[in-house]
């Protein structure tokens, strides 16, 4: 089958998917914001059938074309679900196409936040559910964060193999922290440009799950942007936090294949904070303290993001505002609050290690 050797998530690959229109869907996607306010299920189903290829026709599609096809099909399927119908029931021929697109791209058989934001064209070809400037701002916040967070995850892979007493540990943590600052920039954009009411009532309904081959798949969700993978390698992998680990395990399938491989390599292994606690003192104490200080700064950045995210989530999911009790990624406001508290606890552990006596070697995890 035609394919591409360009790595998932690279700038070249993103541009290729953005440019692709394998289904000839540009015109219908441009009309979608006019169809959705009418809740016209017949028009949505008709449009979806017009762009839907036969599963057998996908043999001629490259991987990037398959990603673009999933992006465009997902918009119409998500719109059908938003207006009260199960897409596979309204358009049964949709399901084998979704399964084949998922198989050929090594991703879930449904569009994700990457399809909706990162692989979405810019300019006049941008795909949206509503056409609202606030929806475009939300998409842009994810698009802005993706390259640097993607780079941070590769560095996290190196961090998982670097011990706290090695000279490279502290600079590596600091570089991850610099990349992770993009999450604060992105949440600030959302706070400035997207009202909680618009998200909760205008956009959140388009991200509801629907069923493919007996499995319910979540729609595009900001929670699929994997800051939780940074948490995993920094403090979560050996922390024994059941609720957050369950959320992470539910989120992993929606990521890039590379992210799933990183998770498999990290899950259950000692985290950076866990290894910091058992790091020896003596001649290596200075390097360990430098690594601890770098972890404090990284976790401070993550806490800033999580604090702001929690604030807007509380506004969007107030009982008088929300239409759904849980976020589009399946998490609750209470889980966000718990994760923020756990991040603070791990920052405190790293801070204490940074100021510990050279002869003192902590041995117990306190998170």
């Amino acid at each position: 089958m035609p394919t591409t050797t360009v790595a998932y998530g690279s700038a070249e690959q993103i541009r290729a998917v953005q440019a692709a229109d394998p289904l000839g869907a540009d015109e219908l996607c441009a009309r979608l914001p006019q169809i959705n306010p009418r809740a016209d299920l017949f028009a949505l189903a008709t449009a979806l059938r017009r762009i839907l290829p036969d599963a057998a026709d996908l043999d001629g599609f490259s991987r990037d074309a398959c990603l673009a096809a999933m992006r465009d099909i997902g918009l119409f399927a998500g719109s059908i679900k938003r207006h009260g119908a199960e897409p596979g029931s309204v358009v049964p021929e949709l399901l084998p196409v979704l399964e084949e697109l998922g198989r050929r791209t090594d991703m879930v058989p449904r569009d994700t936040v990457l399809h909706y934001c990162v692989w979405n064209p810019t300019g006049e070809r941008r795909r949206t559910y509503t056409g609202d400037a606030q929806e475009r701002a939300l998409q842009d916040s994810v698009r802005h964060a993706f390259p640097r967070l993607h780079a941070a995850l590769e560095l996290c892979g190196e961090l998982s193999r670097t011990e706290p007493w090695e000279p490279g540990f502290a600079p590596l943590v600091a570089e991850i922290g610099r990349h992770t600052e993009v999450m604060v920039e992105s949440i600030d954009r959302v706070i400035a440009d997207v009202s909680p009411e618009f998200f909760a009532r205008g956009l959140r309904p388009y991200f509801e799950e629907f069923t493919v081959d007996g499995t319910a798949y979540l729609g595009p969700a900001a929670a699929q942007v994997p800051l939780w993978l940074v948490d995993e390698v920094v403090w979560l992998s050996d922390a024994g936090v059941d609720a957050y680990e369950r959320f992470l395990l539910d989120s992993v399938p929606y990521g890039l294949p590379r992210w799933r491989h990183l998770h498999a390599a990290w899950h259950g292994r000692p985290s950076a904070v866990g290894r910091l606690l058992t790091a020896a003192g003596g001649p290596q104490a200075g390097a360990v303290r430098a690594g601890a200080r770098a972890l404090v700064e990284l976790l401070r950045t993550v806490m800033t993001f999580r604090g702001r995210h929690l604030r807007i989530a509380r506004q969007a999911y107030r009982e008088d505002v929300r239409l759904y009790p849980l976020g589009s990624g399946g998490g609750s406001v209470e889980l966000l609050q718990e994760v923020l508290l756990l991040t603070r606890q791990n920052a405190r552990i790293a801070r204490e290690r940074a100021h510990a006596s050279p002869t003192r070697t902590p041995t117990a995890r306190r998170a």
Side-chain angles (χ1 to χ4, degrees):
M1 70 178 183
T3 185
T4 177
T5 58
V6 177
Y8 266 123
S10 68
E12 183 181 354
Q13 190 262 348
I14 290 169
R15 288 193 297 268
V17 181
Q18 289 175 343
D21 182 22
L23 307 180
D26 278 355
E27 180 184 355
L28 283 173
C29 287
R31 289 170 48 195
L32 185 61
Q34 285 74 54
I35 300 174
N36 271 325
R38 306 197 304 267
D40 190 338
L41 280 171
F42 178 79
L44 289 170
T46 300
L48 179 54
R49 286 193 175 96
R50 279 185 57 186
I51 67 171
L52 195 67
D54 290 330
D57 293 340
L58 297 175
D59 285 343
F61 280 40
S62 69
R63 185 189 66 183
D64 291 340
C66 287
L67 292 170
M70 182 68 85
R71 173 196 67 205
D72 296 344
I73 291 169
L75 280 169
F76 289 92
S79 297
I80 289 170
K81 183 59 189 268
R82 185 264 178 270
H83 298 302
E86 191 68 23
S89 298
V90 175
V91 183
E93 59 268 38
L94 165 69
L95 298 178
V97 174
L98 290 179
E99 292 177 45
E100 181 64 9
L101 287 173
R103 186 188 69 80
R104 293 173 65 86
T105 59
D106 193 15
M107 296 186 72
V108 293
R110 146 124 229 216
D111 56 321
T112 69
V113 74
L114 300 176
H115 299 83
Y116 174 62
C117 298
V118 177
W119 290 319
N120 198 330
T122 57
E124 293 182 354
R125 293 185 57 241
R126 183 195 294 251
R127 279 81 161 116
T128 68
Y129 292 106
T130 69
D132 194 287
Q134 295 183 81
E135 181 179 3
R136 294 194 294 273
L138 193 68
Q139 290 174 325
D140 288 343
S141 71
V142 175
R143 200 193 305 263
H144 174 69
F146 176 83
R148 286 168 63 191
L149 186 59
H150 187 52
L153 294 177
E154 291 302 318
L155 293 171
C156 284
E158 186 176 348
L159 181 65
S160 71
R161 301 184 296 271
T162 306
E163 296 299 342
W165 57 81
E166 295 182 43
F169 183 88
L172 187 55
V173 172
E175 190 173 359
I176 294 169
R178 285 190 290 272
H179 281 301
T180 306
E181 287 171 358
V182 75
M183 297 300 294
V184 178
E185 297 170 11
S186 291
I187 201 71
D188 284 346
R189 288 183 174 203
V190 172
I191 291 170
D193 298 330
V194 183
S195 75
E197 292 76 15
F198 172 78
F199 177 79
R201 295 180 172 272
L203 202 53
R204 171 67 179 82
Y206 289 99
F207 302 149
E208 271 294 88
E209 64 184 31
F210 63 72
T211 301
V212 179
D213 193 26
T215 299
Y217 290 96
L218 299 171
Q224 294 164 5
V225 179
L227 183 60
W228 35 263
L229 270 178
V230 176
D231 288 339
E232 184 169 39
V233 79
V234 171
W235 64 266
L236 178 62
S237 63
D238 56 355
V241 182
D242 290 344
Y244 193 19
E245 287 188 350
R246 284 195 300 272
F247 173 80
L248 186 151
L249 291 173
D250 288 343
S251 300
V252 165
Y254 296 89
L256 293 177
R258 171 63 175 162
W259 298 348
R260 302 200 304 269
H261 295 156
L262 289 173
H263 159 73
W266 299 339
H267 187 62
R269 297 186 61 189
S271 67
V273 171
R275 287 181 287 130
L276 183 73
L277 281 172
T278 58
Q284 302 164 331
V288 171
R289 288 198 298 273
R293 289 193 294 270
L295 281 170
V296 170
E297 292 304 314
L298 167 58
L299 290 168
R300 182 177 290 125
T301 297
V302 175
M303 285 188 294
T304 300
F305 165 78
R306 293 210 179 281
R308 293 175 188 176
H309 185 203
L310 176 60
R311 188 174 78 222
I312 61 175
R314 281 172 169 161
Q315 294 171 342
Y317 288 93
R318 293 198 324 255
E319 288 191 8
D320 60 328
V321 173
R322 72 187 187 195
L323 299 177
Y324 305 91
L326 297 177
S328 47
S332 65
V333 172
E334 291 74 22
L335 178 62
L336 293 179
Q337 184 171 2
E338 179 183 357
V339 173
L340 175 58
L341 291 174
L342 289 165
T343 309
R344 285 175 178 162
Q345 289 175 12
N346 280 275
R348 188 179 306 116
I349 291 168
R351 189 178 302 110
E352 291 175 358
R353 192 69 173 101
H355 297 292
S357 164
T359 60
R360 178 172 175 263
T361 303
T363 57
R365 189 69 179 273
R366 292 166 50 194

